[in-house]
């Protein structure tokens, strides 16, 4: 190919790159807006599901529910350990989303959240105030807290299981999340997560609905990143030769 032709092609790509970038941003914005709108519309709707006696005991009715699952080529024991010790610093996607989430705080001139320590996800959650509500060792863990997530400085308040189930103080949101691991033969397992949340009064529900519609797209991406981290950690522990870089 002639040098002049190559030069013209490069100039064309340079001139079109802002158009491509703008198109990508526009598409991303459209996806974000669509996800936020769907989240707003589905907030508080009843869902058809199988009863879950453990979770229903803490929160039988709720404003939102999120479920995610992944089949993993590793024994249940390896997946269980990986789920407790995932480190979001190992995911470029999660690091980026956490940075974006702190931008409003940074722009207001407040100190950003300290960088996560490499102590494992479960230890981090408990250090932030989340409390264990129930546990089936090696198979299932349920965590819960009450909070006001729309505030600039979010505080998670853990409560004993009985108090959490009965908590109804106005102006708050009760949140619980669980992860479970089920064996699928000797060398495979199913990892499942579920999050439920319910506001304690109409004003908190209004605030929470607006907040959740705004953050839900990013939260969904973080949860997908967490599934990938659990998969990678479990496989690395069970089959060291199969470990590959994630980012």
């Amino acid at each position: 190919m002639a040098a002049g032709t190559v030069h013209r092609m490069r100039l064309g790509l340079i001139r079109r790159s802002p158009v491509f970038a703008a198109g990508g941003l526009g598409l991303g914005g459209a996806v974000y807006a669509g996800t936020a709108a769907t989240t707003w519309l589905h907030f508080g709707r009843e869902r058809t599901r199988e009863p879950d006696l453990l979770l229903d005991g803490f929160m039988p009715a709720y404003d939102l529910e999120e479920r995610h699952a992944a089949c993993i080529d590793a024994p249940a024991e390896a997946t269980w350990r990986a789920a407790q010790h995932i480190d979001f610093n190992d995911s470029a996607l999660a690091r980026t989303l956490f940075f974006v989430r702190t931008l409003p705080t940074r722009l207001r001139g407040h100190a950003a959240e300290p960088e996560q320590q490499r102590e494992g996800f479960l230890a981090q959650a408990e250090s932030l105030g989340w409390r264990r509500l129930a546990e089936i060792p090696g198979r299932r863990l349920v965590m819960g807290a009450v909070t006001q997530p729309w505030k600039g400085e979010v505080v998670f308040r853990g409560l004993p299981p009985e108090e959490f189930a009965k908590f109804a103080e106005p102006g708050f949101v009760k949140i619980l999340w669980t992860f479970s691991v089920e064996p699928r033969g000797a060398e495979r397992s199913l990892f499942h997560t579920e999050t439920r949340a319910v506001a304690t009064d109409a004003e908190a529900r209004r605030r929470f609905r607006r907040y959740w519609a705004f953050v839900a797209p990013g939260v969904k991406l973080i949860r997908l990143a967490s599934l990938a981290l659990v998969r990678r950690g479990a496989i690395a522990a069970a089959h060291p030769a199969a470990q590959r870089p994630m980012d």
Side-chain angles (χ1 to χ4, degrees):
M1 184 179 296
T5 302
V6 173
H7 180 67
R8 285 194 296 272
M9 289 176 63
R10 288 175 177 171
L11 284 177
L13 289 173
I14 291 172
R15 289 167 180 163
R16 289 195 298 270
S17 58
V19 177
F20 294 152
L25 289 173
L27 178 60
V31 172
Y32 177 91
T35 303
T38 301
T39 300
W40 176 275
L41 291 173
H42 288 179
F43 189 90
R45 288 190 177 183
E46 292 291 332
R47 299 161 180 82
T48 302
R49 59 176 178 81
E50 293 293 327
D52 187 321
L53 297 181
L54 182 59
L55 297 190
D56 290 349
F58 294 111
M59 192 181 294
Y62 38 86
D63 294 315
L64 69 85
E65 175 193 44
E66 293 283 342
R67 297 181 180 184
H68 300 274
C71 288
I72 299 176
D73 292 324
E77 293 74 16
T79 300
W80 178 258
R81 289 194 299 271
Q84 296 181 76
H85 298 289
I86 58 175
D87 185 350
F88 285 108
N89 291 298
D90 290 334
S91 168
L93 172 61
R95 290 196 304 270
T96 300
L97 290 168
F98 282 127
F99 175 80
V100 170
R101 186 170 64 85
T102 62
L103 276 179
T105 300
R106 297 170 189 269
L107 292 174
R108 287 196 300 269
H110 299 299
E113 296 177 3
E115 186 173 337
Q116 295 182 33
Q117 301 297 313
R118 292 183 176 273
E119 56 185 355
F121 169 68
L122 186 55
Q124 291 172 7
E126 290 180 306
S127 70
L128 290 173
W130 294 89
R131 184 156 180 171
R132 299 182 189 221
L133 299 177
E135 183 172 2
I136 303 173
R139 291 293 177 263
R140 195 172 194 189
L141 177 66
V142 182
M143 304 285 288
V146 300
T147 186
Q148 295 172 311
W150 50 82
K151 290 193 170 182
E153 302 296 331
V154 181
V155 176
F156 297 101
R157 191 169 106 208
L159 298 171
E162 299 80 8
E163 291 184 28
F164 181 87
K166 298 176 182 178
F167 183 85
E169 183 180 336
F172 285 87
V173 175
K174 296 167 57 174
I175 305 175
L176 67 76
W177 52 264
T178 179
F179 64 76
S180 60
V181 179
E182 300 175 19
R184 289 291 187 266
E187 296 298 326
R188 298 195 74 203
S189 54
L190 176 66
F191 177 69
H192 176 266
T193 71
E194 182 172 344
T195 300
R196 295 182 182 183
V198 62
T200 55
D201 65 358
E203 177 61 19
R205 185 170 292 106
R206 183 187 66 80
R207 289 173 174 262
F208 184 48
R209 184 181 191 184
R210 182 173 57 192
Y211 164 85
W212 184 247
F214 177 73
V215 304
V219 171
K220 290 178 186 294
L221 289 175
I222 289 175
R223 285 178 180 153
L224 292 176
S226 72
L227 293 182
L229 288 169
V230 171
R231 177 182 284 109
R232 188 176 76 164
I235 292 175
H239 312 289
Q243 186 176 14
R244 292 182 176 84
M246 181 177 169
D247 305 335

